[in-house]
Amino acid sequence: MEMRRGLFLWSLLAAVVAALSLGPSFSHVLEAAPRLTVWPPELWRETTVFNRQFEFFAIIGAPLDVGVIIVLAILTWLLRRQRRPFRLALAATVLYAAALATWFAWVAPANAVLATWTQGPVPADLAAIRNRWETGHMAVAAWKFVGFIALTCGLLFIRREPSADRPWPALPPRSAGNPPR
């Protein structure tokens, strides 16, 4: 059994873009514990705000976060005639959209404050902004993780089409007591 080439390519593209979008978010989760519990406030501010540690998260991650929603929406539309894969792809689309909405509602306001910080003494509101920024990224990663699971399950349920070079279905094997007709 084969999948239509276009559906296969969209499925592959969706899986790759979804994984690439999840990757940076998951890395935020992995690094959050020491950043919140071990690093002194000065180190957190220097690495996060002034030393461009997260520059490529914006340059590459932001287009991926928008692109994955578009790719998933197209895949969802392509799966509209297959009930279970459609629902799971739709769930994945909604969950990745929720991740982006969470970023705008939770992380972007913290980024706006971080953009106003200058060298010098640590701002009095650093702990609150740091906690909002870190926990916001964790929430984004959680939405994406559940979305990736939904997408993966949806891809596993896609119906395959009969192969063009095998027009007839395979016959069941003959038993010893069942002679050919």
Side-chain angles (χ1 to χ4, degrees):
M1 304 290 253
E2 291 181 9
M3 187 185 311
R4 290 189 320 255
R5 185 176 310 213
L7 181 57
F8 172 79
L9 291 175
W10 276 106
S11 298
L12 180 62
L13 180 64
V16 168
V17 175
L20 289 173
S21 175
L22 174 59
S25 297
F26 187 63
S27 71
H28 275 297
V29 172
L30 294 177
E31 67 191 14
R35 289 171 54 87
L36 286 168
T37 61
V38 178
W39 288 17
E42 297 81 10
L43 177 59
W44 190 92
R45 181 188 66 169
E46 290 301 315
T47 58
T48 306
V49 180
F50 300 127
N51 290 310
R52 300 169 49 182
Q53 179 180 357
F54 297 103
E55 180 177 25
F56 287 104
F57 283 65
I59 294 170
I60 296 170
L64 282 170
D65 287 347
V66 173
V68 70
I69 297 167
I70 294 166
V71 170
L72 288 173
I74 292 169
L75 178 64
T76 300
W77 183 81
L78 291 172
L79 293 171
R80 67 194 180 280
R81 291 186 179 91
Q82 297 187 39
R83 186 177 186 161
R84 189 179 296 169
F86 169 79
R87 286 182 176 180
L88 289 163
L90 179 61
T93 306
V94 169
L95 289 162
Y96 271 87
L100 186 57
T102 299
W103 187 91
F104 276 109
W106 201 334
V107 178
N111 278 348
V113 173
L114 295 177
T116 66
W117 287 1
T118 58
Q119 298 283 350
V122 172
D125 60 349
L126 181 132
I129 297 302
R130 178 190 63 196
N131 290 341
R132 181 181 183 117
W133 193 88
E134 296 285 359
T135 58
H137 280 99
M138 289 181 219
V140 168
W143 285 117
K144 288 180 181 181
F145 181 70
V146 176
F148 189 78
I149 291 170
L151 171 63
T152 304
C153 290
L155 295 177
L156 292 173
F157 285 114
I158 293 175
R159 282 192 314 267
R160 309 292 192 247
E161 295 180 352
S163 175
D165 55 340
R166 282 185 279 130
W168 304 105
L171 297 174
R174 283 189 247 162
S175 64
N178 189 5
R181 295 182 198 182

